[in-house]
Amino acid sequence: MAMTDESRRKLNVFTFVVGAALTILAIYDLSIGERAASVWIAIVCWPIVAATSAHQLWGPAARRT
């Protein structure tokens, strides 16, 4: 079953919001002194998720449609 454009856009908005929120949470964890490996992995991964979702939502390919 193929996703519609509207479903894909909703999924991208959801992943952008979650990625941004988890990035903020990881930065907060670092600011209070948490130094676990999972926090450092989150600092790398969640901004990538948010950035790629934002690119799909508002990037050059989104402007063509």
Side-chain angles (χ1 to χ4, degrees):
M1 181 167 96
M3 288 182 74
T4 64
D5 287 340
E6 182 64 25
S7 296
R8 187 173 307 278
R9 182 166 176 77
K10 286 180 183 178
L11 181 61
N12 282 337
V13 169
F14 176 76
T15 55
F16 174 73
V17 170
V18 169
L22 289 173
T23 299
I24 292 167
L25 183 62
I27 291 169
Y28 171 75
D29 284 344
L30 282 175
S31 71
I32 62 171
E34 182 67 41
R35 298 292 187 254
S38 61
V39 174
W40 292 105
I41 292 169
I43 286 292
V44 172
C45 294
W46 290 120
I48 293 170
V49 170
T52 54
S53 295
H55 180 73
Q56 289 177 358
L57 283 168
W58 301 294
R63 285 188 225 125
R64 278 188 260 145
T65 59

